[in-house]
Amino acid sequence: MLTAITLPRSVLPLLGGAAGDRSGAHRVLITGDAAMLAAVLALALATGTRGTSLGVLLGFAAVVGTVDAFCLPATGSMPRRPVSKEQFPRAMAVRQAAVRRPHSSGRRWWPLSAWGTALVDAGSFVVVLAVTVWVCPAAETERAPRAQSVLAGITDRPKLAAADPVLRTRCC
């Protein structure tokens, strides 16, 4: 299960970042939230009608990893959008606290069946999707020119990180 999540999450983030640069982080997040909502509803339907099988769970894990690979780069750019420059450090602190908290949904919903847990999760994605649609980015960042290929967009990111002194000390 962990490999089904981790593999796409490890292989696809540069493609996800390029997609965010071309389409806008806000649009990528809305698409990702909608995809997760559809995936969780499909999981609820599959486990409710056929029971929990290894294939269904592996497929769902692969979808989660793929959506995460596209959404994680976009998520990093979002906290600065709805807040002022003065509120930005606080927004980043809240984001870090939310990202670092332990995942507890398995413990919280253990009395429910797999399909019941998936339905509760679907409800959470409805809320997340509504908030993501509602939070309009304060300013759209400059997008990659359409003439630039996706491959060029992917290869530019490591070059940018290596050329910037602040990013170079953190990544390379």
Side-chain angles (χ1 to χ4, degrees), residues 55-71:
V56 168
L57 293 177
L58 281 173
F60 180 71
V63 169
V64 168
T66 302
V67 171
D68 275 357
F70 278 81
C71 289

Side-chain angles (χ1 to χ4, degrees), residues 68-161:
D68 275 357
F70 278 81
C71 289
L72 287 174
T75 302
S77 72
M78 289 307 286
R80 69 175 169 76
R81 295 170 186 249
V83 298
S84 67
K85 202 179 251 188
E86 295 78 28
Q87 294 174 324
F88 179 67
R90 191 172 186 181
M92 287 304 294
V94 168
R95 179 185 180 274
Q96 283 302 106
V99 169
R100 300 288 181 221
R101 70 177 172 76
H103 186 65
S104 63
S105 66
R107 287 191 315 263
R108 187 174 299 144
W109 303 110
W110 69 266
L112 295 177
S113 62
W115 72 270
T117 302
L119 288 177
V120 170
D121 202 20
S124 72
F125 276 109
V126 168
V127 172
V128 168
L129 182 58
V131 169
T132 305
V133 169
W134 177 67
V135 174
C136 185
E140 280 295 322
T141 57
E142 192 174 307
R143 293 189 185 139
R146 291 286 182 203
Q148 183 186 31
S149 72
V150 173
L151 182 60
I154 291 171
T155 58
D156 282 349
R157 301 308 167 250
K159 292 176 191 174
L160 174 68

